[in-house]
Amino acid sequence: MDNCIFCKIISGDIPSATIYEDDEFKVILDRFPSNVGHALILTKKHYANIFEIDEDVAGRLFKLAVKVSKNMKDVLNLEAMNIVQNNGEMAGQTVHHFHLHLIPRYVGDKVSVKWEQLDLTDEQISEVQSKLKMN
Ligand code: AMP
Ligand code: ZN
């Protein structure tokens, strides 16, 4: 993908602070982090988002997320951790190349991952449940 900044990072055309790399993934520090240690797991192959990514690749990516998170927990003095993954502009995705955010949380930090809760009725929940139920 010619115009994709993460493809350029993967090819080495744009520098990055890499903390892990294998055949399929590159883990870099976010250049404009929400917190110290904010990392991104990038697939080496270009998938725009969750709707395009190969399921097996996604499975291996999440296994790697567990490893990287455990290492962060050992090394950084973190209190908690958010895993965030945006798909589509409306959801806040700005780089349309699949990536998982690993955000360490520290006491008193300014990170916010929050939404307002809807007050749905049981009927409304059932309606959505019947639409979404998978076999
Ligand atoms: P998203 O908004 O989920 O698409 O996240 C894109 C992330 O990429 C943001 O958190 C940016 O700070 C980060 N980012 C943008 N350019 C770079 C870069 N050159 N190196 C590392 N991270 C970057
Ligand atoms: Zn790309």
Side-chain angles (χ1 to χ4, degrees):
M1 300 297 282
D2 290 350
N3 244 342
C4 173
I5 191 167
F6 286 172
C7 281
K8 286 180 183 157
I9 283 177
I10 282 148
S11 67
D13 292 338
I14 292 180
S16 64
T18 301
I19 59 172
Y20 175 85
E21 186 163 10
D22 63 24
D23 289 350
E24 272 189 313
F25 308 110
K26 193 174 177 87
V27 187
I28 65 170
L29 293 180
D30 196 302
R31 186 62 190 80
F32 311 97
S34 59
N35 241 350
V36 172
H38 182 165
L40 304 171
I41 304 185
L42 317 180
T43 55
K44 285 203 166 169
K45 188 168 172 195
H46 180 97
Y47 303 100
N49 53 41
I50 190 88
F51 308 113
E52 289 190 2
I53 194 170
D54 177 86
E55 272 179 36
D56 293 331
V57 174
R60 290 190 290 274
L61 184 145
F62 213 82
K63 267 182 108 167
L64 176 57
V66 172
K67 279 190 192 156
V68 177
S69 299
K70 285 181 176 171
N71 184 54
M72 282 181 169
K73 188 168 183 288
D74 288 345
V75 172
L76 303 172
N77 193 23
L78 60 81
E79 180 68 21
M81 181 98 185
N82 287 115
I83 308 280
V84 177
Q85 203 275 307
N86 301 321
N87 299 282
E89 260 171 51
M90 200 197 151
Q93 188 177 14
T94 56
V95 180
H96 296 275
H97 176 130
F98 189 97
H99 56 282
L100 195 70
H101 293 260
L102 305 181
I103 304 177
R105 300 298 306 271
Y106 307 102
V107 175
D109 71 22
K110 298 276 191 286
V111 177
S112 171
V113 186
K114 284 208 182 285
W115 50 84
E116 273 186 34
Q117 294 177 315
L118 296 179
D119 188 16
L120 295 188
T121 62
D122 287 346
E123 288 71 28
Q124 286 171 312
I125 295 284
S126 296
E127 200 183 318
V128 185
Q129 180 191 13
S130 55
K131 272 192 201 162
L132 291 180
K133 204 154 191 189
M134 296 163 69
N135 295 314

